């Protein structure tokens, strides 16, 4: 980052001395006001719950222009990455800053695809869960448990450990997600295969059985690879910020990523795709498109607490470019499977049409986000609704790692420790029991 050609001046109407604050500029996007000396000089904190106006770090990984609906991975538009690269190319790009040339690409693909097995002991963790445990509960446990097996890559300050941990996490997440699924349906785990693609291997571990050969459908394989790409990273979202804050204590990468998995589970974040699909099925069960008007009235009624899941975004105040790509992927997959008339897809498109013409949504700049169509395409592929967020976590693991590594590699980083505006009781003495 570089100093801007101007400063910010903070002045107080009570005559307290004003102070000058440096302004820094990045390569693109909003400038920042450096407030690191604010508390020392004024004894005051800034106040920004939800961090709507706060840059927590400097980063060169992912850029979002919410007004334009633009998403860049290391400068490359998501639309080009999603159509010209595969997920492992995207992982290489996010981790290293550049797309791989052919030898680098072949080496990285081989590295990942040859480290997809997990320690045989991992399967015994699953046995502790009920068969109907939510896959995200299982995944949170399994990812955290990885740190018990890989002591040779838990020193987050060792670049080689970070590199090895990154390979292990990217390689093993599909295996863990598939194991969580198989455990839930009571089927035997499928061991990964090194001769399949990343997405193809995942499909086989999910839907293959020991009873017969599993043939990967190339259209589904490509669609799933694209879903992984679209979810790979997204700037300083809630789960990424969780990973950064967790990793800032110096804990191991596996524990920090497990914290990201736990945060992503929330319905306001990565859990929205599951909530969106449940919302569509609920409307469908009540009458489908004919009931959309009634549902929309509920959404617009503040007291209902009902939200149009898969809509709205903290940053995008325009169409989420990932939602557009996801809708295209929906068309491809539903077409391939002869499900063009999928009622939920038609319902989703009707909901979108009505929302984008409704003043409530237009005024609040609420558009479909990545989660609005992702559930429909995953359901068409055969992925159960409860596993949608697990797929999101699988894909976002590389983004979390890239952001964690960027933070640890930043000489300026410190343990994250925000302050507060205290509104509780001032000092008082403990009353005796009789006095309470
Ligand atoms: C992801 O941050 C990321 O980058 C996340 C993500 C990623 O890749 O990591 O993009 C992934 O999490 C996508 C978002 C998935 N969540 C949902 O689809 C859940 C539904 N969306 C909302 O919960 C909401 O839009 C958020 C949480 C996504 C954003 O919330 P904000 O930025 O805090 O905005 P807000 O809640 O202050 O909303 C502004 C207004 C409010 O109305 P008013 O108080 O001004 O009258 O818009 C309304 C909100 O009530 N609103 C909605 C709405 N989203 C916002 N009203 C109905 N339905 C919605 N979905």
């Amino acid at each position: 980052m570089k100093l801007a050609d101007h400063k910010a001046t903070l002045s107080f109407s009570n005559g307290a001395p004003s102070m000058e604050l440096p302004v820094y500029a990045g390569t693109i996007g909003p400038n920042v006001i450096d407030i690191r000396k604010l508390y020392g000089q004024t004894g005051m904190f800034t106040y920004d719950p939800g961090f709507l106006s706060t840059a927590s770090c400097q980063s060169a990984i992912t850029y979002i222009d919410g007004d334009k609906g633009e998403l860049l991975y290391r400068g490359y538009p998501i639309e080009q990455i999603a159509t010209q690269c595969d997920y492992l190319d995207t992982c290489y790009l996010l981790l290293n800053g550049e797309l791989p040339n052919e030898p680098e690409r072949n080496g990285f693909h081989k590295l990942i695809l040859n480290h997809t097995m997990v320690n045989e002991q991992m399967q015994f963790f699953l046995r502790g869960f009920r068969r109907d445990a939510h896959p995200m509960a299982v995944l949170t446990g399994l990812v955290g448990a990885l740190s018990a097996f890989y002591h040779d890559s838990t020193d987050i300050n060792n670049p080689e450990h970070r590199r090895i941990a990154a390979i292990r996490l990217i390689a093993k997440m599909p295996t863990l997600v598939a194991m969580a699924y198989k455990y839930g349906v009571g089927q035997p785990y499928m061991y990964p295969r090194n001769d399949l693609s990343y997405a193809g291997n995942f499909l086989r571990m999910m839907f293959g059985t020991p009873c017969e050969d599993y043939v990967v459908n190339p259209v589904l394989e490509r669609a799933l690879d694209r879903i992984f790409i679209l979810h790979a990273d997204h700037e300083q979202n809630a789960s990424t910020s969780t990973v950064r804050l967790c990793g800032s204590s110096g804990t191991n990468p596996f524990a920090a990523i497990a914290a990201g998995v736990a945060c992503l589970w929330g319905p306001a974040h990565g859990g929205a795709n599951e909530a969106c699909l449940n919302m569509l099925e609920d409307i469908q069960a009540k009458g489908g498109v004919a009931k959309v008007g009634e549902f929309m009235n509920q959404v617009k009624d503040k007291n209902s607490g009902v939200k149009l899941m898969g809509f709205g975004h903290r940053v995008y105040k325009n169409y989420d470019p990932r939602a557009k790509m996801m809708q295209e992927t929906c068309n491809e997959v539903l077409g391939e499977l002869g499900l063009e008339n999928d009622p939920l897809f038609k319902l989703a498109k009707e909901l979108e049409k009505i929302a984008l013409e409704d003043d409530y949504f237009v005024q609040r700049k609420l558009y479909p986000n990545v989660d609005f169509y992702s559930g429909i395409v995953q359901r068409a592929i055969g992925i159960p609704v409860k596993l949608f967020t697990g797929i999101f976590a699988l894909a976002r693991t590389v983004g979390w790692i890239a952001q964690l590594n960027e933070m640890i590699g930043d000489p300026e980083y410190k343990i994250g420790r925000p302050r507060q505006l205290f509104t509780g009781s001032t000092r008082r003495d403990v009353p005796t029991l009789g006095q309470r």
Side-chain angles (χ1 to χ4, degrees):
M1 67 184 186
K2 59 185 186 303
L3 270 175
D5 56 5
H6 59 286
K7 289 177 182 289
T9 303
L10 183 60
S11 58
F12 299 93
S13 56
N14 63 357
S18 63
M19 70 180 286
E20 283 204 333
L21 296 164
V23 174
Y24 286 99
T27 42
I28 39 177
N31 289 350
V32 297
I33 299 171
D34 182 349
I35 57 163
R36 285 175 285 186
K37 293 191 167 52
L38 180 73
Y39 178 57
Q41 292 189 21
T42 69
M44 284 194 278
F45 301 134
T46 58
Y47 182 66
D48 187 17
F51 311 121
L52 285 93
S53 299
T54 295
S56 60
C57 62
Q58 53 181 305
S59 177
I61 299 172
T62 295
Y63 177 72
I64 305 169
D65 183 321
D67 294 329
K68 288 197 315 197
E70 181 179 54
L71 169 57
L72 307 177
Y73 284 169
R74 296 285 191 179
Y76 295 111
I78 189 68
E79 295 82 357
Q80 293 183 32
I81 293 288
T83 49
Q84 298 174 45
C85 303
D86 70 12
Y87 177 69
L88 291 185
D89 297 335
T90 309
C91 290
Y92 187 97
L93 172 67
L94 291 171
L95 290 170
N96 300 300
E98 297 298 338
L99 283 165
N101 59 32
E102 190 156 4
E104 289 163 339
R105 184 177 193 278
N106 296 338
F108 186 73
H109 276 62
K110 192 168 182 312
L111 196 56
I112 297 291
L113 297 176
N114 282 271
H115 286 88
T116 48
M117 279 204 296
V118 294
N119 189 297
E120 276 295 279
Q121 290 297 104
M122 286 298 283
Q123 62 184 295
F124 303 117
F125 282 111
L126 287 120
R127 287 184 185 171
F129 291 102
R130 287 170 37 150
R131 289 276 182 178
D132 63 352
H134 194 290
M136 287 302 280
V138 177
L139 207 51
T140 305
L142 291 181
V143 175
L146 284 175
S147 50
F149 291 92
Y150 299 115
H151 297 124
D152 60 342
S153 62
T154 51
D155 176 2
I156 203 165
N157 294 303
N158 178 327
E160 184 56 9
H161 281 212
R162 291 204 300 271
R163 190 188 69 80
I164 295 169
I167 300 297
R168 282 174 165 154
L169 279 159
I170 295 166
K172 299 176 194 306
M173 277 301 269
T175 309
L176 295 178
V177 173
M179 287 174 79
Y181 169 66
K182 285 299 197 188
Y183 182 74
V185 296
Q187 286 186 1
Y189 305 125
M190 295 294 285
Y191 282 103
R193 288 275 299 269
N194 297 352
D195 58 345
L196 295 175
S197 73
Y198 190 83
N201 188 31
F202 179 66
L203 283 169
R204 181 178 169 278
M205 290 191 289
M206 282 284 294
F207 303 121
T209 68
C211 316
E212 58 188 6
D213 290 342
Y214 178 82
V215 179
V216 176
N217 176 322
V219 174
L220 303 191
E221 179 182 29
R222 180 66 193 129
L224 196 57
D225 192 82
R226 181 176 294 178
I227 289 170
F228 293 162
I229 291 172
L230 295 176
H231 287 86
D233 192 51
H234 212 239
E235 201 214 66
Q236 304 312 316
N237 59 83
S239 53
T240 297
S241 299
T242 300
V243 170
R244 278 180 174 257
L245 192 57
C246 184
S248 73
S249 72
T251 190
N252 69 78
F254 305 102
I257 299 304
V261 174
C263 174
L264 187 74
W265 192 3
H269 190 14
N273 50 21
E274 176 180 351
C276 181
L277 214 289
N278 291 335
M279 170 191 76
L280 292 171
E281 287 184 332
D282 186 48
I283 298 170
Q284 188 61 22
K286 289 175 179 165
V289 174
K291 288 292 179 184
V292 167
E294 188 181 314
F295 175 77
M296 283 306 204
N297 291 335
Q298 268 191 303
V299 167
K300 293 185 277 189
D301 169 10
K302 279 280 167 252
N303 303 319
S304 74
V306 174
K307 285 192 183 286
L308 179 54
M309 299 311 280
F311 254 71
H313 199 276
R314 172 63 54 79
V315 179
Y316 289 122
K317 300 309 171 191
N318 198 327
Y319 213 104
D320 182 335
R322 302 169 298 176
K324 280 201 185 89
M325 303 290 299
M326 202 62 83
Q327 195 183 82
E328 281 170 30
T329 306
C330 260
N331 282 319
E332 284 167 26
V333 169
L334 295 175
E336 166 70 14
L337 299 174
L339 300 172
E340 294 87 343
N341 295 319
D342 178 281
L344 290 192
F345 189 41
K346 291 172 82 169
L347 176 61
K349 287 195 280 192
E350 184 61 21
L351 267 172
E352 175 189 344
K353 180 175 171 298
I354 292 172
L356 296 185
E357 291 163 0
D358 187 302
D359 211 34
Y360 173 92
F361 292 85
V362 173
Q363 264 180 13
R364 292 169 177 78
K365 298 186 177 179
L366 302 176
Y367 291 86
N369 59 50
V370 68
D371 293 310
F372 191 63
Y373 288 104
S374 68
I376 295 166
V377 63
Q378 290 184 74
R379 176 176 167 271
I381 292 173
I383 293 164
V385 179
K386 280 172 63 174
L387 204 71
F388 289 175
T389 311
I391 303 289
F392 193 152
L394 183 168
R396 183 56 56 89
T397 293
V398 65
W400 289 330
I401 294 166
Q403 299 271 351
L404 178 61
N405 288 351
E406 182 179 63
M407 177 189 76
I408 299 294
D410 177 350
E412 286 192 336
Y413 107 89
K414 294 178 181 301
I415 184 167
R417 207 285 186 208
R419 301 302 301 276
Q420 63 183 10
L421 174 68
F422 183 72
T423 56
S425 296
T426 54
R427 185 183 180 84
R428 55 180 174 163
D429 297 327
V430 174
T432 63
L433 192 55
Q435 290 170 320
R436 290 178 206 165

